[in-house]
């Protein structure tokens, strides 16, 4: 059973279907991907790569991606280290090595692991390792948690942050629609130097080892991706240590599910508790709002009382002052009248 983004968010909003989510969501820790025998792969011989970016242009075309800011013929972009994005499934980077004359180049894209970390981390199974070797993505069941981005040791999945309504996780698909029709991946078809070779993974490993044996001074004696993270469907050959062309050499050979099963096994339970947690947060926030409203009303009432008291005090003071001034005026008027009466009497007597 699969769930859509709308249904998932609806469950969260309802805050009462924790058990429903918990029963249907599957953590990668509950089931390991084992890969498929006879699956296909791509061998990237970085020794042969010249950094022409034709693979980038082909990838952009066959996947109908937005045009880049600068044309693919502009090789100046190689001077800056780049990574894949939601609108760019593959990039070529340039590297310098002290032991080599001239620059080195490496194409970067999803490595399509035999036991994918992204699939292991995805509790709604939006990612799948297919029988042909590609790791595909189903946006209709994705809930946007982005665990896949955290899990990927190669930092490949990218998120459509500029899509507010239906954002997706974007990455290379190994041109899955093409290879299922017997066609080559776009990048492989476009490579003019045969730096990219597509075929059955077991055959590509034989080809890679044969090149190493034939040219031991040209290649490092290792096929990257044969065993890294349990193996990948994108294999690499290099003339320098792989770390010198920006590749991780600390991954080991343990598949991602073996490393994450303990933590990811509790994902459904955590997801199931989200509605309860959100309900509690909602209740707390509403209580805070109520308390805040009461405090505000009390503060307003207190302020009003203070204003009233001050006004009454000022009024009393004004009245007292007016009364005092009135008494003084009356006294003055009486005194003046008496003085005038006395003068008048004095004149009459004289």
């Amino acid at each position: 059973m699969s769930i859509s983004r709308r249904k998932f968010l609806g469950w969260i909003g309802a805050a009462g279907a924790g058990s429903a989510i918990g029963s249907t969501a599957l953590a990668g820790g509950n089931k390991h991907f084992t890969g498929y025998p006879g699956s296909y792969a791509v061998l990237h011989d970085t020794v042969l790569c010249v950094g022409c970016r034709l693979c980038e242009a082909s990838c952009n075309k066959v996947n109908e991606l937005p045009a880049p800011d600068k044309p693919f013929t502009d090789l100046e972009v190689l001077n800056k280290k780049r990574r894949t994005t939601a609108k760019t499934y593959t990039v070529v980077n340039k590297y310098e090595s002290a032991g080599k004359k001239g620059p080195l180049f490496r194409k970067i894209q999803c490595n399509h692991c035999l036991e994918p970390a992204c699939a292991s981390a995805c509790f709604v199974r939006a990612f799948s390792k297919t029988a042909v070797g590609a790791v595909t993505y189903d946006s209709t069941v994705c809930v946007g948690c982005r665990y896949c981005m955290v899990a990927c040791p190669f930092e490949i999945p990218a998120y459509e942050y500029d899509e507010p309504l239906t954002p997706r996780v974007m990455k290379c698909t190994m041109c899955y629609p093409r290879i299922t029709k017997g066609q080559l991946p776009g990048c492989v078809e476009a490579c003019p130097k045969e730096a990219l070779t597509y075929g059955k993974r077991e055959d590509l490993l034989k080809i890679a080892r044969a090149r190493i044996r034939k040219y031991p001074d040209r290649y490092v004696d290792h096929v990257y991706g044969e065993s890294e993270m349990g193996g990948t469907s994108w294999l690499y050959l290099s003339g320098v240590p792989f770390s010198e062309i920006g590749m991780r050499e600390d991954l080991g050979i343990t598949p991602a599910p073996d490393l994450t099963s303990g933590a990811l096994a509790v994902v459904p339970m955590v997801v199931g508790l989200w509605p309860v947690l959100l309900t509690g947060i909602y209740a707390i926030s509403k209580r805070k709002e109520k308390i805040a409203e009461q405090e505000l009303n009390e503060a307003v009432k207190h302020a009003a009382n203070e204003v009233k008291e001050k006004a009454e005090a000022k009024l009393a003071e004004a009245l007292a002052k007016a009364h005092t001034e009135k008494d003084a005026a009356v006294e003055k008027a009486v005194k003046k009248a008496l003085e005038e009466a006395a003068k008048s009497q004095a004149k009459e007597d004289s």
Side-chain angles (χ1 to χ4, degrees), residues 97-178:
S97 176
K100 294 288 182 179
K101 294 181 179 179
L104 305 172
F105 302 94
R106 175 173 69 94
K107 178 182 177 300
I108 302 171
Q109 72 297 301
C110 173
N111 286 329
H112 299 276
C113 303
L114 298 186
E115 299 185 52
C118 56
S120 172
C122 184
F123 58 85
V124 293
R125 290 187 276 189
F127 288 92
S128 301
K129 178 68 174 180
T130 65
V132 293
V135 175
T136 59
Y137 165 74
D138 183 356
S139 62
T140 64
V141 300
C142 178
V143 296
C145 69
R146 285 163 282 176
Y147 288 167
C148 55
M149 297 173 64
V150 177
C152 179
F154 304 107
E155 300 180 349
I156 293 299
Y159 195 66
E160 290 182 316
Y161 289 101
D162 57 348
E163 292 289 339
L165 298 179
T166 57
R168 298 168 294 173
V169 176
M170 308 297 281
K171 72 172 193 67
C172 159
T173 66
M174 198 191 273
C175 288
Y176 181 71
R178 290 173 59 88

Side-chain angles (χ1 to χ4, degrees), residues 80-100:
K80 181 180 179 181
K81 293 297 182 291
R82 299 175 295 152
R83 60 152 294 169
T84 59
T85 69
K87 297 178 175 61
T88 307
Y89 291 174
T90 187
V91 296
V92 175
N93 278 344
K94 181 172 68 174
Y95 304 88
E96 302 292 341
S97 176
K100 294 288 182 179

